[in-house]
């Protein structure tokens, strides 16, 4: 990863030294006393929350309509059984203190052109997981207005940019709930609108479309992976938008196998008089890791990562050195039967006997399979169908057994190769000229399984660099 | 069912190194400890998320990086609404004891985009390979390489800009 020799190397060394120095300022004695990690109680189990929830239920006053006539018949105002109902916030927490590391929001809640300052007061709980009282004084009337939010934590409450989802000229407050348990992030936004002098949380018509994170597709997973769709939401020029990937991707072993650029469907959320956020189709986006653009015609995901192919190997009597991660050298010896011999930089020597003629070891590690120690792909010049993945297990090398939906083969309709970035790829012939691409991962101490990465076509399957979208 | 990993043992073994990682991403020790605590708490809630103890550190590292990013995101959003006098970046008290040349680098690091900073920290402090960084950040190996390269250029520019200001 060096940049250029000379100045590049110098800056790298300087960064390394500065990071080490900064990190080492944190000494063991600086840390808070060691406390046992205990399972956090769900916030729904908190007696405060249960009491508050009960209070909210008692205070449900029906649909809050932004009608100004004031002469509606009671049966017009009363909620119908199957219509969504917004809940008025309970007037609790007047004495709560400003939430830790929080910053008041400034937005024009009442539409008079003067922004209100919304304070966030935290319900005191041991685990900082209580509710937040949203509190402000309306610039138009000088009256207090308040709301209640549950964000999972009372620390660091801030708002996203305000929106005007009902296009009425005033602004709605957007907070968000973070799901800290979700690897890769998860959560959803909460929109608060000023209604009847209260900050009322909007309901969401299709809540599954207004989330962020990797959401499993029901019934599509296997023992070794889930199939997930990638969801996002964001605020853009006063509008609340969300997206969902058109395709689902395999997620397992803490890895999400997605192309860098994916195609997503998007929705814009509008707030109705009934207090419900409703999605409307906002088109298709091509979403990269750092950029997005409207879809072109027939836009599809980027081709799964299947090339360039790693072609370098060593044979009997040769050695190769690996310097990324666990540092080691590997050699193929043949005193009697051929053996792989790994010599680690920590002094360990690991040997594994091979039962194949003219073995070869790739000079690239199959790091998609295993990267917490030595890993090797063994092939044979005498038998092109032979494939074996060896991984370090303490002081020994172990051959991983392929399990799952795909066989580890390299013949005919099943082709397998290693890419230069260490992905062990298998493609299986499908309908027409399509191939289903898979990537191998370590799934247990002695097993590896292939996870699907997408459909790909080749101009020439013998040359994986000719991969293209189908 | 027995948990697959011993959380208490992991906590004792890896807490310090994870707090150090987090402090490089969020600047102050208190936030770093919170991020790490959250990571362990999340693992405690889902002990079966990691079936193999040898993968626990990698799992926790992902969790810490995500938690740090979330903390920074909250802090950044907070700044957008903060009055001008609140705009100063968080300044850890103990940075004062860092040597001048290190302090300059750490200050410049704070000016980088979160992903650039994460890549540099994982590469030059955690000593992860490109593949491991790609897995940790859920990005492609090519992106790791280009992000690191751009980050070093941005870092140098930020340091030159700082020293230029000081000279003036």
């Amino acid at each position: 990863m060096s940049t250029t020799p000379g100045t590049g190397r110098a800056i790298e060394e300087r960064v390394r030294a500065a990071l080490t120095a900064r990190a080492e300022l944190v000494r063991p004695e600086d840390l808070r006393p060691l406390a046992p990690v205990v399972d956090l109680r769900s916030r729904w189990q908190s007696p405060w929350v249960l009491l508050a929830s009960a209070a909210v239920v008692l205070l449900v006053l029906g649909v809050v309509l932004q009608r100004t006539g004031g002469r509606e018949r009671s049966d017009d105002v009363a909620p119908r059984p199957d219509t969504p109902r917004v809940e008025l916030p309970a007037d609790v927490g007047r004495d709560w203190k400003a939430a830790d590391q929080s910053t008041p929001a400034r937005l024009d809640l009442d539409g008079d052109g003067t922004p209100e300052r919304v304070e966030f007061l935290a319900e005191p709980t041991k685990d900082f997981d209580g509710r937040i009282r949203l509190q402000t004084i309306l610039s138009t009337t000088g009256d207090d207005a308040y709301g209640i939010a549950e964000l999972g934590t009372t620390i660091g409450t801030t708002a996203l940019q305000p929106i005007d989802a009902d296009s009425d000229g005033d602004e709605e407050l957007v907070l968000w709930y973070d799901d800290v348990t979700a690897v890769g992030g998860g959560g959803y936004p909460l929109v608060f609108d000023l209604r009847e002098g209260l900050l009322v949380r909007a309901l969401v018509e299709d809540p599954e479309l207004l989330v962020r994170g990797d959401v499993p597709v029901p019934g599509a997973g296997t023992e070794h992976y889930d199939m997930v769709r990638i969801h996002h939401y964001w605020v853009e020029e006063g509008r609340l938008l969300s997206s969902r990937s058109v395709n689902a991707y395999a997620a397992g072993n803490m890895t999400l196998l997605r192309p860098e650029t994916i195609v997503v469907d998007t929705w814009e959320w509008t707030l109705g008089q009934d207090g419900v956020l409703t999605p409307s189709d906002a088109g298709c986006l091509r979403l990269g890791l750092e950029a997005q653009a409207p879809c072109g015609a027939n836009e599809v995901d980027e081709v799964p990562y299947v090339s360039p192919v790693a072609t370098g190997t060593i044979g009997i009597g040769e050695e190769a050195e690996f310097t990324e991660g666990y540092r080691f050298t590997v050699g193929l010896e043949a005193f009697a039967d051929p053996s792989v011999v790994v010599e680690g930089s920590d002094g360990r020597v690991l040997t594994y006997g091979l039962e194949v003629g003219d073995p070869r070891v790739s000079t690239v590690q199959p790091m998609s399979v295993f990267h917490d120690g030595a890993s090797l792909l063994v092939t044979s010049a005498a038998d092109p169908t032979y494939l074996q993945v060896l991984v370090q297990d303490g002081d020994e090398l172990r051959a991983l057994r392929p399990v799952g939906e795909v066989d580890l083969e390299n013949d005919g309709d099943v082709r397998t190769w290693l890419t230069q970035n260490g992905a062990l790829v298998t493609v299986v012939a499908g309908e027409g000229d399509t191939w289903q691409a898979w990537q191998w991962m370590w799934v247990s101490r002695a097993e590896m399984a292939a996870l699907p990465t997408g459909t790909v076509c080749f101009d020439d399957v013998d040359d994986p660099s000719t991969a293209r979208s189908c | 069912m027995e948990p697959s990993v011993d959380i208490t043992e992991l906590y004792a073994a890896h807490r310090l190194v994870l707090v150090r990682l987090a402090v490089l991403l969020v600047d102050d020790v208190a936030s770093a400890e919170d991020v790490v605590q959250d990571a362990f708490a999340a693992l405690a809630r889902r002990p079966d998320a990691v079936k193999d103890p040898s993968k626990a550190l990698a799992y926790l590292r992902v969790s810490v990086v995500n938690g740090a990013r979330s903390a920074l995101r909250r802090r950044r959003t907070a700044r957008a609404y903060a009055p001008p006098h609140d705009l100063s970046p968080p300044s850890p008290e103990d940075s004062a004891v860092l040597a001048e040349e290190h302090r300059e680098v750490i200050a410049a690091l704070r000016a980088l985009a979160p992903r650039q900073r994460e890549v540099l920290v994982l590469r030059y402090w955690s000593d992860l390979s490109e593949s491991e960084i790609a897995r940790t950040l859920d990005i492609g190996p090519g992106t790791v390489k280009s992000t690191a390269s751009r980050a070093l250029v941005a870092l140098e520019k930020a340091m030159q800009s700082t020293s230029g200001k000081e000279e003036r």
Side-chain angles (χ1 to χ4, degrees):
Chain A
M1 199 181 291
S2 300
T3 49
T4 53
T7 56
R9 175 60 62 185
I11 185 71
E12 286 177 322
E13 287 313 313
R14 206 173 156 194
V15 170
R16 196 184 297 277
L19 290 172
T20 303
R22 174 66 189 97
E24 286 178 358
L25 286 179
V26 182
R27 297 161 304 173
E29 58 268 32
D30 295 329
L31 302 183
R32 294 172 199 147
L34 201 62
V37 178
V38 295
D39 204 356
L40 296 178
R41 182 179 55 187
S42 158
R43 68 185 196 283
W44 292 108
Q45 292 172 341
S46 154
W48 284 107
V49 175
L50 291 173
L51 280 173
S53 303
V56 169
V57 170
L58 290 172
L59 284 168
V60 170
L61 299 179
V63 176
V64 181
L65 295 174
Q66 192 75 352
R67 294 186 180 178
T68 53
R71 289 182 179 275
E72 296 90 349
R73 285 163 48 95
S74 62
D75 53 355
D76 285 341
V77 178
R80 293 171 191 156
D82 56 351
T83 53
R85 299 185 304 176
V86 294
E87 293 182 353
L88 298 187
D91 187 8
V92 294
R94 284 176 179 269
D95 58 343
W96 295 346
K97 302 286 183 275
D100 223 9
Q101 296 180 32
S102 296
T103 304
R106 289 189 178 278
L107 72 164
D108 185 10
L109 287 165
D110 53 13
D112 65 351
T114 303
E116 276 73 36
R117 174 186 165 96
V118 182
E119 303 276 358
F120 301 121
L121 308 183
E123 178 182 23
T125 64
K126 182 171 70 69
D127 296 323
F128 303 99
D129 58 354
R131 294 163 296 169
I132 300 283
R133 179 184 173 97
L134 323 172
Q135 185 165 287
T136 191
I137 296 172
L138 299 174
S139 57
T140 314
T141 61
D143 291 340
D144 289 342
Y146 62 86
I148 294 291
E150 289 198 42
L151 309 178
T153 175
T154 56
I155 299 173
T157 302
T158 54
L160 296 179
Q161 292 291 324
I163 59 173
D164 183 10
D166 48 8
S167 304
D168 63 355
D170 64 33
E171 293 178 322
E172 289 88 53
L173 174 68
V174 187
L175 303 177
W176 75 92
Y177 177 86
D178 255 345
D179 181 0
V180 294
T181 65
V183 175
Y188 50 83
L190 291 79
V191 173
F192 291 86
D193 188 29
L194 181 67
R195 293 179 172 232
E196 307 278 320
L198 297 172
L199 289 169
V200 179
R201 183 183 163 190
L203 299 174
V204 181
E205 186 176 294
D206 291 312
E208 70 280 3
L209 293 180
L210 189 55
V211 295
R212 72 181 178 89
D214 305 332
V215 179
V217 178
T222 71
E223 180 188 354
H224 302 298
Y225 59 87
D226 283 325
M227 293 301 289
V228 301
R229 284 205 165 87
I230 301 171
H231 290 247
H232 288 294
Y233 65 81
W234 66 97
V235 171
E236 186 178 309
E237 296 173 348
R239 301 179 304 150
L240 179 61
L241 297 143
S242 69
S243 68
R244 181 181 66 187
S245 62
V246 171
N247 291 328
Y249 309 100
N253 218 6
M254 293 174 51
T255 300
L256 174 65
L257 294 177
R258 57 162 282 183
E260 289 208 358
T261 301
I262 61 174
V263 175
V264 300
D265 292 321
T266 66
W267 293 272
E268 180 175 352
W269 294 83
T270 51
L271 184 60
Q273 285 201 337
D274 54 1
V276 178
L277 283 166
T278 306
S280 57
D281 184 358
C284 159
L285 278 182
R286 193 166 180 271
L287 201 63
L289 291 170
E290 291 176 341
Q292 63 183 46
C295 288
N298 304 318
E299 196 79 71
V300 292
D301 283 357
E302 196 173 348
V303 177
Y305 192 90
V306 295
S307 67
V309 176
T311 53
T313 59
I314 59 167
I316 296 290
E318 294 178 315
E319 275 192 357
E321 186 176 4
F322 295 89
T323 57
E324 283 197 1
Y326 180 66
R327 292 162 188 261
F328 64 97
T329 58
V330 63
L332 274 169
E333 298 178 355
F335 295 115
D337 289 330
S339 297
V340 173
V341 179
V342 167
E343 291 184 29
S345 58
D346 55 1
R348 294 185 206 209
V349 177
L350 323 173
T351 304
Y352 188 89
L354 298 171
E355 295 174 353
V356 67
D358 202 357
R360 302 296 161 101
V361 173
S362 175
T363 53
V364 170
Q365 284 195 79
M367 293 185 88
S368 76
V369 181
F370 180 84
H371 59 273
D372 289 337
S375 58
L376 302 167
L377 176 66
V378 183
T379 55
S380 165
D383 178 2
T385 65
Y386 179 85
L387 291 161
Q388 180 92 278
V389 174
L390 303 180
V391 300
Q392 180 180 1
D393 183 3
D395 288 333
E396 63 181 60
L397 285 174
R398 177 189 293 277
L400 290 184
R401 186 164 57 87
V403 295
E405 300 151 275
V406 175
D407 296 325
L408 183 68
E409 290 180 1
N410 186 31
D411 192 21
D413 286 346
V414 183
R415 309 291 185 98
T416 297
W417 60 82
L418 187 63
T419 66
Q420 287 178 12
N421 77 339
L424 184 60
V425 171
T426 291
V427 296
V428 180
E431 289 183 9
D433 60 351
T434 66
W435 295 74
Q436 176 65 47
W438 302 75
Q439 185 172 308
W440 290 89
M441 302 182 88
W442 192 48
V443 294
S444 74
R445 195 170 180 186
E447 294 173 329
M448 63 178 187
L451 277 60
T453 57
T455 302
V456 65
C457 287
F458 296 94
D459 292 333
D460 174 6
V461 72
D462 292 327
D463 178 4
S465 69
T466 63
R468 56 175 169 77
S469 298
C470 296
Chain B
M1 195 170 78
E2 279 295 306
S4 307
V5 291
D6 185 335
I7 307 277
T8 309
E9 198 175 300
L10 285 174
Y11 193 67
H14 299 310
R15 182 184 178 212
L16 178 61
V17 75
L18 289 170
V19 171
R20 285 175 167 175
L21 168 64
V23 88
L24 295 174
L25 298 174
V26 299
D27 303 319
D28 66 291
V29 177
S31 299
E33 286 196 77
D34 288 342
V35 164
V36 171
Q37 188 71 23
D38 283 347
F40 277 104
L43 184 59
R45 277 192 290 267
R46 298 172 59 192
D48 289 322
V50 181
K51 292 192 168 51
D52 189 316
S54 69
K55 292 182 183 171
L57 180 58
Y59 180 95
L60 286 164
R61 193 185 290 130
V62 172
S63 207
V64 165
V65 170
N66 287 336
R69 196 180 303 158
S70 189
L72 282 184
R73 189 162 65 93
R74 284 169 184 267
R75 196 181 287 163
R76 265 203 318 279
T77 313
R79 282 181 196 155
Y81 285 95
H85 60 270
D86 280 343
L87 286 174
S88 55
S91 174
E93 310 73 26
D94 45 10
S95 69
V97 302
L98 270 180
E100 174 62 33
E101 77 262 26
H102 296 333
R103 211 157 56 220
E104 200 181 357
V105 176
I106 297 298
L109 202 67
R110 288 193 194 121
L112 299 183
R115 176 167 294 148
Q116 291 181 331
R117 180 174 177 169
E118 289 159 6
V119 167
L120 293 189
V121 168
L122 292 173
R123 177 61 180 159
Y124 296 111
W125 188 73
S126 298
D127 270 329
L128 298 192
S129 67
E130 280 173 12
S131 311
E132 289 167 317
I133 296 170
R135 280 175 187 58
T136 304
L137 300 181
D138 192 16
I139 59 179
T143 306
V144 173
K145 193 184 280 286
S146 59
T147 303
S149 175
R150 283 199 295 267
L152 288 174
V153 172
L155 194 77
E156 280 190 297
K157 274 189 186 160
M159 287 194 293
Q160 282 161 5
S161 155
T162 308
S163 54
K165 277 181 194 163
E166 281 171 5
E167 280 166 20
R168 282 198 294 275

